[in-house]
Amino acid sequence: MLIAGNWKMFKGPEETSEFCRALRDADLGDADVVVCPPYASLAAAVTALADTEIGVAAQNVHWAAEGPFTGEVSAAMLRELGVYGAIVGHSERRQYFGETDETVARRVRAALDAGLFVIACVGESEEEREAGQTELILRLQVEAIADAAADRGDNLAVAYEPIWAIGTGRTATPQLAQEAHLLIKSILDVPVLYGGSVKPENAAELCGQSAVDGALVGGASLDLDSFAEICRRSSQS
Ligand code: PGA
């Protein structure tokens, strides 16, 4: 099980160091664990987690190696920092910052080229689900990622995050997650993480589905006890 904590815009460098030092000593069961702090805190996380099995990933990455792209960070810069991977195409990026399947694909391709591990996010909105468009939307999103990844799928995971479940406390039922994950895997054969209100109470059941290979955890990854418990429970099932 791969459990990734997406911290979003929470935890500055100081809080990150403190959290990561405690995470080193926590019981995380058998899960492979990754934390994704904001850019400003990546160096602190890399330092605090040096010589551990816990990976550090960014929450986004630009497609160019360098250039006049104010506010963006390249894969080479992340690598130089000791960062191991990046989330790409999170729905908050798509929703608030204009990311499209095309820009997501460009970011995925560049990150894989640079040797980063990529967690590429997909997921339908509530309106899309109600309109019966879930399969179509997932297909378009996953095909764009699959084209970008070409034959470099061993450094890639997809996160299925139904938008209506993110930060809302509403979780997809395990059956619904399983169905979506099977569809994704039929297009792109890589590990698929579930995201959207994963908590200690639902982690075992969600991760117990055969097509669920881990979780991308937002809110509940900010608290050490709940994050560690999710990690432990995910690998119990
Ligand atoms: P949540 O966020 O766990 O707070 O719903 C998940 C995510 O956005 O990755």
Side-chain angles (χ1 to χ4, degrees):
M1 285 292 145
L2 172 61
I3 306 297
N6 173 15
W7 294 2
K8 310 193 178 186
M9 202 169 71
F10 292 95
K11 296 192 193 297
E14 225 168 281
E15 207 183 331
T16 295
S17 298
E18 203 179 304
F19 184 96
C20 290
R21 280 196 298 266
L23 191 62
R24 289 176 75 110
D25 299 328
D27 175 8
L28 304 174
D30 296 325
D32 291 328
V33 178
V34 176
V35 292
C36 311
Y39 284 133
S41 302
L42 285 171
V46 169
T47 303
L49 294 170
D51 309 318
T52 72
E53 302 271 286
I54 303 169
V56 178
Q59 297 172 16
N60 196 10
V61 56
H62 196 259
W63 54 82
E66 57 183 10
F69 301 107
T70 303
E72 293 285 334
V73 172
S74 76
M77 292 168 188
L78 294 174
R79 293 276 301 188
E80 190 178 333
L81 215 50
V83 166
Y84 132 99
I87 298 172
V88 175
H90 189 279
S91 64
E92 285 153 15
R93 300 289 324 167
R94 294 176 187 260
Q95 208 175 337
Y96 307 133
F97 301 99
E99 295 275 351
T100 62
D101 285 344
E102 195 200 324
T103 59
V104 169
R106 293 177 81 177
R107 292 178 198 274
V108 167
R109 190 175 298 123
L112 291 173
D113 279 345
L116 287 175
F117 180 79
V118 172
I119 301 174
C121 302
V122 300
E124 80 287 0
S125 67
E126 181 146 42
E127 301 76 64
E128 288 161 348
R129 174 158 285 275
E130 275 166 10
Q133 292 177 333
T134 300
E135 180 170 342
L136 173 71
I137 294 294
L138 290 180
R139 232 173 234 295
L140 291 172
Q141 292 176 341
V142 177
E143 277 166 7
I145 293 162
D147 285 347
D151 56 356
R152 287 157 309 164
D154 18 325
N155 236 3
L156 174 68
V158 167
Y160 169 59
E161 300 201 305
I163 296 170
W164 45 269
I166 294 179
T168 57
R170 288 171 63 196
T171 316
T173 61
Q175 292 70 22
L176 197 146
Q178 171 79 357
E179 245 170 61
H181 285 217
L182 286 173
L183 170 69
I184 292 165
K185 282 171 181 278
S186 73
I187 304 165
L188 180 59
D189 187 20
V190 296
V192 181
L193 317 182
Y194 171 78
S197 300
V198 175
K199 313 180 261 274
E201 304 81 62
N202 58 25
E205 206 188 358
L206 285 161
C207 291
Q209 302 300 306
S210 63
V212 176
D213 304 302
L216 182 55
V217 188
S221 73
L222 296 171
D223 174 78
L224 183 72
D225 291 339
S226 75
F227 187 55
E229 197 168 343
I230 289 169
C231 292
R232 288 194 300 274
R233 291 197 186 182
S234 72
S235 49
Q236 269 165 10
S237 48

